[in-house]
Amino acid sequence: MPYSLVSAATLGFDLVRLPAGRAVAEVLLTGLGADESALARLAATHFCRGLDRDQRGVRAVRSRRAREMAAAVPHMRSAAEAGQGGGDRVALLVAQLEQGTIGDAPTLERLLREDVLGHEHPLRGRTDADEWDEAADVLADAAVGFWAAGVLPPLVRRDLTAAFDRALDAGPLAAPDTWGLGPAADELTAFLAAVRDLDEAGRARWRVAVDENRAGHRPWAAAMHEASWGAHVSGRIRALAAAQLLAVQAFLDGGFDLHDGAAGVWNAVAGCVQAIVLDDLLGTDAVAVLRAPGRRVAALS
């Protein structure tokens, strides 16, 4: 399944279950919010800077082989195939949801190059083409390296992510005001801060709220679709994607694990984020469905 910015919550579902999913979110947030200075810093760390032709060829081969190894990240298709021929179907479903990703490294890289850094990026076409391509390469390598951190040998992973890490050493590469969150910024910031600061009792309240709301999965899916469509027609796709990526980081900082991600807690958090960012566009029923888990958590506090 290809990723898209309009369905960033689906990407988030994968990221909260990957060992370095938080870092992937950081790479994508950087791409979404990069200004001229950030692009220049990224380009300056490009792996081909200072290399001769033969050295660049060697580096290209290493990059290609690393991407081939990244294909070993478990996918839901491979998890399903491994379980064919018998066994506990419930256990298989849990394994698929906990370990198998919906997308893969090639679809992630396409998302970064064609959507995050696509024609809707405010600096696309206004920046030196070579510098833009170098910055894109640095971000793409880092995204793939962090995505596949669980299966790549450490040296191979570092080879892909080192340039991005060097650029980040000088300070953040994107700031909140570059993501276009608009009027939702204050409420979103407060909500994510609350998720980030959860203790064990707070995480337990979210799990209870999710368990109580399982019967509402179909209305939740419809409400999420309504919100994604609203983002599309209103031109807020990039803002909503940034919000969901920030939610990935808050979710993981708050101590949730891959089981929570697979068991519905991520979906509940992502639904609250959709409602916050697009509250002015959604119908009252959709808002009620998406905000229900958060309101139940507040009631349990």
Side-chain angles (χ1 to χ4, degrees):
M1 175 181 175
Y3 293 130
S4 69
L5 289 182
V6 75
S7 58
T10 301
L11 170 62
F13 178 72
D14 278 353
L15 296 186
V16 298
R17 295 175 299 115
L18 287 170
R22 191 189 192 287
V24 178
E26 184 69 25
V27 173
L28 296 173
L29 282 165
T30 297
L32 284 168
D35 59 13
E36 293 93 337
S37 174
L39 290 171
R41 284 168 54 190
L42 288 164
T45 65
H46 192 273
F47 53 82
C48 284
R49 291 268 179 117
L51 301 184
D52 60 30
R53 181 177 178 179
D54 289 342
Q55 290 171 323
R56 290 196 299 271
V58 170
R59 183 61 177 77
V61 170
R62 283 160 49 190
S63 177
R64 184 174 68 250
R65 289 177 176 170
R67 281 164 167 76
E68 291 170 355
M69 285 187 276
V73 173
H75 191 277
M76 285 192 177
R77 289 192 306 269
S78 58
E81 291 166 0
Q84 287 179 353
D88 186 337
R89 294 187 63 184
V90 173
L92 173 60
L93 177 60
V94 171
Q96 286 179 278
L97 291 175
E98 289 192 355
Q99 301 175 20
T101 58
I102 296 172
D104 53 26
T107 60
L108 177 70
E109 184 165 359
R110 185 211 61 77
L111 173 78
L112 189 143
R113 290 184 181 274
E114 298 180 14
D115 291 358
V116 172
L117 298 176
H119 294 293
E120 293 188 0
H121 194 288
L123 296 182
R124 184 65 183 258
R126 297 171 50 198
T127 303
D128 176 79
D130 290 338
E131 183 175 272
W132 180 274
D133 289 344
E134 287 178 332
D137 287 345
V138 170
L139 290 171
D141 272 7
V144 172
F146 288 129
W147 167 271
V151 300
L152 292 177
L155 287 176
V156 175
R157 194 272 300 163
R158 284 196 291 272
D159 197 39
L160 290 173
T161 63
F164 178 77
D165 289 337
R166 288 198 303 275
L168 200 57
D169 284 344
L173 289 159
D177 60 352
T178 65
W179 294 314
L181 298 175
D186 289 345
E187 183 182 359
L188 179 67
T189 298
F191 173 76
L192 296 182
V195 173
R196 186 176 292 109
D197 293 340
L198 288 170
D199 56 13
E200 182 53 43
R203 291 188 291 274
R205 287 191 289 271
W206 273 98
R207 293 169 187 137
V208 169
V210 168
D211 286 340
E212 292 180 352
N213 198 49
R214 290 200 184 280
H217 175 73
R218 186 169 298 175
W220 176 89
M224 289 292 282
H225 178 76
E226 180 180 336
S228 295
W229 178 249
H232 174 69
V233 299
S234 66
R236 297 190 207 172
I237 292 175
R238 297 176 70 84
L240 181 60
Q244 292 292 358
L245 292 168
L246 291 167
V248 167
Q249 296 183 325
F251 184 91
L252 295 171
D253 292 345
F256 290 116
D257 57 23
L258 65 85
H259 179 77
D260 293 311
V265 182
W266 164 253
N267 286 348
V269 170
C272 291
V273 169
Q274 299 272 85
I276 290 170
V277 176
L278 298 166
D279 184 81
D280 59 319
L281 295 179
L282 298 177
T284 55
D285 289 346
V287 170
V289 168
L290 295 176
R291 288 184 178 269
R295 288 170 174 166
R296 182 57 178 146
V297 168
L300 291 169
S301 299

